[in-house]
Amino acid sequence: MEDLNHALFLWLNAPGHPSTLVLAIATFFAEYAICALPVIIGFGWLRGNEHTRKVLLEATASGLAGLLINQIIGLVWQHPRPFMISLGHTLIPHAADSSFPSDHLTLLWAVAFSFLMHRSPRLVGMALASLGLPVAWARIYLGVHFPLDMVGAALVAWLSAWLAFREMRVFLPATYRLALSVHRVIFGKLIQIGWVRK
């Protein structure tokens, strides 16, 4: 399996002198596409109704659960990144920590899969899930992840979304009340003038 992982990595990894345009596209997806999450969650919270806000909190819980699971996996099993074993080309800096699973992709897909479990934000979930594909390619292309790191991220993301959906009755009511109280304190003035929902 590791031989296949290495072979797929070398097939997808950047050449020694990549195109400037392809390098710029890969860097954007690898490092900045994840910024779509706080924008979507922040805008959805400020303008959404109660159902939307609860789905956003559930999706946030899914993302956090995914990152926690990744940390546990990393503590139990340290898997080196490609540059740690001098494999391929690395074109962006990264800490020499465990590569499996990809945190970027886990977070993105955990939120996307959480959205896909509900009817109303399903299109957003599909868009985020689709965004994960170039993110996965880019992080392999730039030399900081293996292909199987992305498979692991998909599995962890699905598990996290399922757990958040299954257990939402346990954590969501109290979390929603707390988040709404904080929201009303922070955005009180904007709520009064109608720019932000109550």
Side-chain angles (χ1 to χ4, degrees), residues 3-195:
D3 288 341
L4 175 62
N5 199 24
H6 289 185
L8 288 173
F9 168 78
L10 291 172
W11 180 57
L12 293 169
N13 184 225
H17 301 285
S19 157
T20 303
L21 177 60
V22 176
L23 181 58
I25 292 170
T27 302
F28 169 78
F29 281 112
E31 298 196 312
Y32 303 110
I34 196 75
C35 295
L37 288 183
V39 171
I40 289 169
I41 291 172
F43 181 80
W45 178 268
L46 293 177
R47 301 299 300 170
N49 56 24
E50 180 177 339
H51 170 74
T52 299
R53 288 174 172 176
K54 286 182 175 178
V55 171
L56 291 171
L57 287 175
E58 181 190 323
T60 301
S62 173
L64 293 174
L67 294 178
L68 177 60
I69 292 170
N70 281 3
Q71 291 301 308
I72 294 170
I73 292 172
L75 289 173
V76 173
W77 180 52
Q78 282 280 326
H79 188 275
R81 293 181 184 273
F83 60 83
M84 295 166 68
I85 57 172
S86 302
L87 189 68
H89 303 100
T90 305
L91 303 176
I92 57 172
H94 201 287
D97 54 2
S98 183
S99 74
F100 183 90
S102 165
D103 285 339
H104 272 76
L105 198 59
T106 296
L107 180 59
L108 185 61
W109 273 349
V111 172
F113 294 168
S114 189
F115 285 164
L116 288 171
M117 292 187 176
H118 297 273
R119 182 170 295 177
S120 58
R122 193 165 288 166
L123 287 177
V124 178
M126 291 174 65
L128 286 176
S130 299
L131 180 61
L133 297 176
V135 169
W137 160 78
R139 295 189 70 79
I140 298 167
Y141 182 85
L142 295 173
V144 294
H145 275 292
F146 287 104
L148 288 186
D149 298 340
M150 306 309 169
V151 176
L155 295 174
V156 171
W158 178 86
L159 175 62
S160 302
W162 178 78
L163 286 172
F165 181 77
R166 183 175 180 272
E167 301 299 331
M168 64 178 163
R169 289 178 181 82
V170 175
F171 69 87
L172 195 55
T175 304
Y176 179 70
R177 287 194 298 271
L178 176 61
L180 203 57
S181 298
V182 173
H183 165 83
R184 287 171 177 164
V185 170
I186 294 175
F187 298 106
K189 298 287 187 184
L190 297 179
I191 291 170
Q192 288 177 6
I193 60 178
W195 288 10

